[in-house]
Coordinates of all heavy atoms in Angstrom, one line a residue:
K9 N 6.9 -1.0 11.3 CA 5.9 -2.0 10.9 C 6.6 -3.0 10.0 O 6.4 -4.2 10.1 CB 4.7 -1.3 10.3 CG 3.6 -2.3 10.0 CD 2.4 -1.5 9.4 CE 1.3 -2.5 9.0 NZ 0.1 -1.7 8.4
K10 N 7.3 -2.5 9.0 CA 8.0 -3.3 8.0 C 9.0 -4.3 8.7 O 9.0 -5.5 8.4 CB 8.7 -2.4 7.0 CG 9.5 -3.2 6.0 CD 10.2 -2.2 5.0 CE 11.0 -2.9 4.0 NZ 11.7 -2.0 3.1
I11 N 9.8 -3.7 9.6 CA 10.8 -4.6 10.3 C 10.1 -5.6 11.2 O 10.5 -6.8 11.2 CB 11.7 -3.7 11.1 CG1 12.6 -2.8 10.2 CG2 12.7 -4.6 12.0 CD1 13.4 -1.7 10.9
L12 N 9.1 -5.2 11.9 CA 8.4 -6.2 12.8 C 7.7 -7.3 12.0 O 7.7 -8.4 12.4 CB 7.4 -5.5 13.7 CG 8.0 -4.6 14.8 CD1 6.9 -3.9 15.6 CD2 8.9 -5.4 15.7
N13 N 7.2 -6.9 10.8 CA 6.6 -7.9 10.0 C 7.5 -9.0 9.5 O 7.2 -10.2 9.3 CB 5.9 -7.3 8.8 CG 4.6 -6.5 9.1 OD1 4.1 -5.7 8.4 ND2 4.0 -6.9 10.3
T14 N 8.8 -8.6 9.3 CA 9.8 -9.5 8.9 C 10.1 -10.5 10.0 O 10.7 -11.6 9.7 CB 11.1 -8.8 8.4 OG1 11.7 -8.2 9.5 CG2 10.9 -7.8 7.3
K15 N 9.8 -10.1 11.2 CA 10.0 -11.0 12.4 C 8.7 -11.8 12.7 O 8.6 -12.4 13.8 CB 10.4 -10.2 13.6 CG 11.7 -9.4 13.4 CD 12.0 -8.6 14.6 CE 13.3 -7.8 14.4 NZ 14.5 -8.6 14.3
S16 N 7.8 -11.8 11.7 CA 6.5 -12.6 11.9 C 5.7 -12.1 13.0 O 4.9 -12.8 13.6 CB 6.8 -14.1 12.0 OG 7.5 -14.6 10.9
I17 N 5.8 -10.8 13.3 CA 4.9 -10.1 14.3 C 3.8 -9.3 13.5 O 4.1 -8.5 12.7 CB 5.7 -9.2 15.2 CG1 6.7 -9.9 16.0 CG2 4.7 -8.5 16.2 CD1 7.7 -9.0 16.8
K18 N 2.6 -9.7 13.8 CA 1.5 -9.0 13.2 C 1.2 -7.6 13.9 O 1.0 -7.6 15.1 CB 0.2 -9.8 13.2 CG -1.0 -9.2 12.5 CD -2.2 -10.1 12.6 CE -3.4 -9.4 11.9 NZ -4.6 -10.3 11.9
V19 N 1.3 -6.5 13.2 CA 1.3 -5.2 13.8 C 0.0 -4.5 13.3 O -0.3 -4.5 12.1 CB 2.5 -4.4 13.4 CG1 2.4 -3.0 14.0 CG2 3.8 -5.1 13.8
K20 N -0.7 -3.9 14.3 CA -1.8 -3.0 14.0 C -1.5 -1.6 14.6 O -1.1 -1.5 15.8 CB -3.1 -3.6 14.5 CG -4.3 -2.8 14.1 CD -5.6 -3.5 14.4 CE -6.8 -2.8 13.8 NZ -8.1 -3.5 14.0
I21 N -1.8 -0.6 13.9 CA -1.6 0.8 14.3 C -2.9 1.4 14.8 O -3.9 1.4 14.0 CB -1.0 1.7 13.3 CG1 0.2 1.0 12.6 CG2 -0.6 3.0 13.8 CD1 1.4 0.7 13.5
L22 N -3.0 1.8 16.0 CA -4.2 2.4 16.6 C -4.0 3.9 16.8 O -3.2 4.3 17.7 CB -4.6 1.7 17.9 CG -4.8 0.2 17.8 CD1 -5.1 -0.3 19.2 CD2 -5.8 -0.2 16.8
L23 N -4.6 4.7 16.0 CA -4.4 6.2 16.1 C -5.6 6.8 16.6 O -6.7 6.7 16.1 CB -4.1 6.7 14.7 CG -2.9 6.1 14.0 CD1 -2.9 6.5 12.5 CD2 -1.6 6.6 14.6
V24 N -5.5 7.6 17.8 CA -6.6 8.2 18.4 C -6.5 9.7 18.2 O -5.6 10.4 18.9 CB -6.8 7.8 19.9 CG1 -8.0 8.6 20.5 CG2 -6.9 6.3 20.0
N25 N -7.4 10.3 17.4 CA -7.4 11.7 17.2 C -8.3 12.3 18.3 O -9.5 12.1 18.3 CB -8.0 12.1 15.8 CG -8.3 13.6 15.7 OD1 -7.6 14.4 16.3 ND2 -9.3 13.9 14.9
D26 N -7.7 12.9 19.3 CA -8.4 13.2 20.6 C -9.0 14.6 20.6 O -8.6 15.5 21.3 CB -7.4 13.1 21.8 CG -8.1 13.1 23.1 OD1 -9.3 12.8 23.2 OD2 -7.4 13.5 24.1
G27 N -10.0 14.7 19.7 CA -10.8 16.0 19.6 C -10.0 17.2 19.1 O -10.2 18.3 19.5
S28 N -9.1 16.9 18.2 CA -8.2 18.0 17.6 C -9.1 19.0 16.9 O -10.1 18.7 16.3 CB -7.2 17.4 16.6 OG -6.3 16.5 17.2
T29 N -8.6 20.3 17.0 CA -9.3 21.3 16.3 C -8.6 21.9 15.1 O -9.0 22.8 14.4 CB -9.6 22.5 17.3 OG1 -8.4 22.9 17.9 CG2 -10.5 22.1 18.4
D30 N -7.4 21.3 14.8 CA -6.6 21.7 13.7 C -6.8 20.6 12.5 O -7.9 20.0 12.5 CB -5.1 21.8 14.0 CG -4.5 20.5 14.5 OD1 -5.2 19.5 14.6 OD2 -3.3 20.5 14.7
K31 N -5.8 20.4 11.7 CA -6.0 19.5 10.6 C -5.5 18.1 10.9 O -5.2 17.3 9.9 CB -5.3 20.1 9.3 CG -5.9 21.4 8.8 CD -5.2 21.9 7.6 CE -5.8 23.2 7.1 NZ -5.0 23.7 5.9
T32 N -5.4 17.7 12.1 CA -4.9 16.4 12.5 C -5.7 15.3 11.8 O -5.1 14.4 11.2 CB -4.9 16.2 14.0 OG1 -4.0 17.1 14.6 CG2 -4.5 14.8 14.4
E33 N -7.0 15.4 11.9 CA -7.9 14.3 11.3 C -7.6 14.2 9.8 O -7.5 13.1 9.2 CB -9.3 14.6 11.6 CG -10.3 13.5 11.0 CD -11.7 13.8 11.3 OE1 -12.0 14.7 12.1 OE2 -12.6 13.0 10.9
E34 N -7.5 15.4 9.1 CA -7.3 15.4 7.7 C -6.0 14.8 7.4 O -5.8 14.0 6.4 CB -7.3 16.9 7.2 CG -7.1 17.0 5.7 CD -7.1 18.5 5.3 OE1 -7.8 19.3 5.9 OE2 -6.3 18.9 4.4
M35 N -4.9 15.1 8.1 CA -3.6 14.5 7.9 C -3.6 13.0 8.1 O -2.9 12.3 7.4 CB -2.6 15.3 8.7 CG -2.4 16.7 8.4 SD -1.8 17.1 6.8 CE -0.1 16.6 7.0
L36 N -4.2 12.6 9.2 CA -4.3 11.2 9.5 C -5.0 10.4 8.3 O -4.5 9.3 7.9 CB -5.0 10.9 10.8 CG -4.3 11.2 12.1 CD1 -5.3 11.0 13.3 CD2 -3.1 10.4 12.2
N37 N -6.0 10.9 7.8 CA -6.7 10.3 6.7 C -5.9 10.3 5.5 O -5.8 9.3 4.7 CB -8.0 11.0 6.4 CG -9.1 10.8 7.5 OD1 -9.1 9.7 8.1 ND2 -10.0 11.7 7.6

């Protein structure tokens, strides 16, 4: 993201927690 921003590219990260039953949601947050 940092490198692409230096190239004037606006970056958005889309993270889909697909029904995880472990601590994925907690770690993402």
Side-chain angles (χ1 to χ4, degrees):
K9 187 178 177 183
K10 178 181 177 181
I11 294 171
L12 290 177
N13 285 160
T14 66
K15 299 178 182 294
S16 299
I17 299 175
K18 184 179 179 180
V19 179
K20 187 168 185 177
I21 312 299
L22 307 178
L23 302 165
V24 178
N25 173 31
D26 191 24
S28 297
T29 57
D30 65 355
K31 295 182 179 179
T32 296
E33 182 177 357
E34 179 182 329
M35 297 295 285
L36 286 175
N37 287 334

